[in-house]
């Protein structure tokens, strides 16, 4: 009764679960079977059971699944299982079995949550797991976030046993006659977690648990303070930020004043996939135009700034043909109006009679040149952009409107070619309106 009351108080204090459907991830082991029993007895939420079969232990893997399936049938619970060919995936990658199994498991959880099968997924991690994770992270090298252990609530993943020790879970199981299956791999010393578990066993007592809980609370508070400080620093060094297309500009003068620089570089750029401060320092000291890539982002050194953009920004873009002058929405929104004079609320004006159809819109290319209105002579676009001190990203995002004979009519949103300007001899004017150009 004591454990049930403690568990119910924990649920009420830490999780808002009213009228929410919970899927309980059950492995057939002690922890998940106790969690399932406590949830069934302690709350009125609709509960289902999910199980991952990684097919790593031969018949034992299937027996685990069958054990849970029988329990669900007996207790009239909805049951979903997912089979994975984990060993086959392992042979195709460089990752460990544990890492692969973790990714497969959480990818499936994400699918279930995103497709509204449930509101929350409950996992059986407990206080001992968090202690073991603490020491694993210390051995591998970590910051404050890694010392906090296991996050008990993150993106609809809850861990209702996070305040319970393994000893308490085992006591509850014995008192309530709960059956479970032992996983023999828990005794395999090739896994670091099992080695740490064996090492810690003699010192896990009431004082240790209480001290650890306090330490985790202090570390969590420190992490929150650190996060708020990094938000302030990020705003301090940032010059510009756009959502579409994604772009962040960072002032290098302000950035290099930060100390310790390597730590700040890691904390600022880690969320964009840049995890090596040494690479970030190298590009910081490199020539303008140097860039490094993460999985999704590109970081570029430009004169006095770092520019961060999505990698997709650099993908080859199409040529768009304008066979007529209907409003177009790709690659951006442009509308046209033919009249006998300029319309003052339009972006630019072109002598319509000098146009050869179809017109084209594309990104600028090396070798492009034009006769810019207001300047003398023909200029290469590369030289024109250099004179304007445009960054690599700004140049990459330049589009041009071309005549049917491939002569540049207009550097879109910038400057018109002298040849196509409207004069006193112009009889028909093409008014071009550019809407919400980024």
């Amino acid at each position: 009764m004591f454990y049930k009351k403690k568990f119910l108080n924990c649920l009420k204090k830490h999780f808002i679960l009213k009228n929410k459907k919970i899927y309980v991830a059950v492995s057939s082991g002690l922890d998940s079977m106790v969690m399932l029993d406590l949830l069934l007895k302690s709350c009125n939420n609709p509960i289902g059971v999910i199980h991952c079969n990684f097919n790593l232990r031969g018949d034992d893997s299937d027996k685990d699944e069958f054990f849970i399936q029988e329990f669900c049938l007996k207790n009239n619970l909805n049951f979903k299982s997912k089979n994975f060919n984990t060993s086959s995936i392992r042979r195709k990658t460089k990752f460990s079995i544990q890492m692969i199994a973790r990714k497969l498991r959480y990818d499936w959880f994400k699918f279930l949550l995103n497709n509204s099968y449930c509101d929350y997924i409950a996992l059986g991690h407990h206080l001992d797991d968090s202690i073991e994770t603490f020491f694993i992270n210390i051995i591998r090298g970590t910051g404050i976030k890694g010392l906090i252990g296991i996050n008990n609530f993150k993106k609809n993943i809850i861990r209702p046993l996070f305040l319970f020790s393994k000893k308490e879970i085992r006591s509850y199981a014995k008192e309530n006659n709960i059956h479970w299956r032992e996983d023999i791999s828990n005794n395999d010393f090739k896994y670091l977690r099992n080695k740490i578990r064996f090492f810690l066993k003699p010192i896990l007592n009431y004082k240790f648990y209480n001290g650890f809980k306090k330490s985790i609370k202090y570390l969590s508070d420190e992490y929150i303070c650190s996060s708020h400080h990094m938000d302030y620093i990020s705003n301090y060094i940032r010059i510009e930020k756009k959502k579409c297309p994604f772009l962040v500009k960072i002032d290098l003068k302000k950035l290099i004043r930060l100390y310790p620089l390597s730590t700040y570089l890691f904390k600022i750029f880690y969320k964009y996939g840049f995890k090596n401060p040494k690479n970030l320092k190298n590009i910081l000291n490199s020539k303008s135009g140097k860039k490094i890539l993460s999985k999704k982002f590109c970081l570029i050194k430009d004169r006095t700034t770092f520019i961060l953009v999505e990698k997709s920004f650099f993908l080859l873009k199409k040529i768009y043909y304008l066979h007529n002058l209907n409003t177009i929405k790709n690659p951006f929104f442009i509308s046209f109006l033919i009249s006998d004079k300029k319309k003052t609320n339009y972006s630019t004006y072109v002598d319509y009679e000098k146009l050869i159809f179809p017109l084209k819109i594309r990104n600028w290319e090396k070798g492009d040149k034009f006769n810019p209105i207001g300047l003398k002579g023909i200029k290469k676009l590369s030289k024109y952009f250099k004179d304007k001190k445009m960054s690599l990203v700004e140049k990459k995002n330049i589009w041009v409107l071309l005549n049917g004979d491939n002569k540049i009519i207009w550097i879109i949103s910038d400057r018109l070619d002298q040849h196509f300007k409207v004069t006193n001899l112009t009889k028909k004017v093409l008014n071009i309106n550019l809407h919400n150009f980024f």
Side-chain angles (χ1 to χ4, degrees), residues 252 288-289 301-305 385-386 389-392:
L252 290 184
S288 183
K301 164 76 178 295
D302 185 53
R303 299 180 189 88
T304 59
T305 61
F385 298 148
K386 187 176 181 180
K389 295 185 177 178
M390 284 188 177
S391 71
L392 180 63

Side-chain angles (χ1 to χ4, degrees), residues 19-65:
N19 300 323
K20 302 294 184 182
K21 184 174 182 180
I22 302 171
Y23 271 177
V24 186
V26 180
S27 66
S28 83
L30 168 65
D31 309 328
S32 57
M33 290 305 295
V34 165
M35 177 179 62
L36 178 58
D37 185 80
L38 279 164
L39 281 167
L40 289 170
K41 289 176 179 176
S42 304
C43 64
N44 298 318
N45 299 62
I47 287 173
V49 173
I50 55 176
H51 173 73
C52 296
N53 186 341
F54 296 108
N55 293 292
L56 292 172
R57 294 181 291 113
D59 289 344
D60 271 351
S61 292
D62 295 329
K63 285 176 182 177
D64 287 347
E65 184 175 344

Side-chain angles (χ1 to χ4, degrees), residues 339-346 349 421-423 429 431:
S339 68
D340 58 357
K341 60 181 180 180
K342 293 181 182 180
K343 300 291 183 180
T344 54
N345 59 335
Y346 276 67
Y349 322 96
K421 72 176 183 181
V422 173
T423 67
V429 176
N431 295 273

Side-chain angles (χ1 to χ4, degrees), residues 342-355:
K342 293 181 182 180
K343 300 291 183 180
T344 54
N345 59 335
Y346 276 67
S347 302
T348 196
Y349 322 96
V350 173
D351 190 327
Y352 179 80
E353 293 180 331
K354 292 181 179 177
L355 301 181

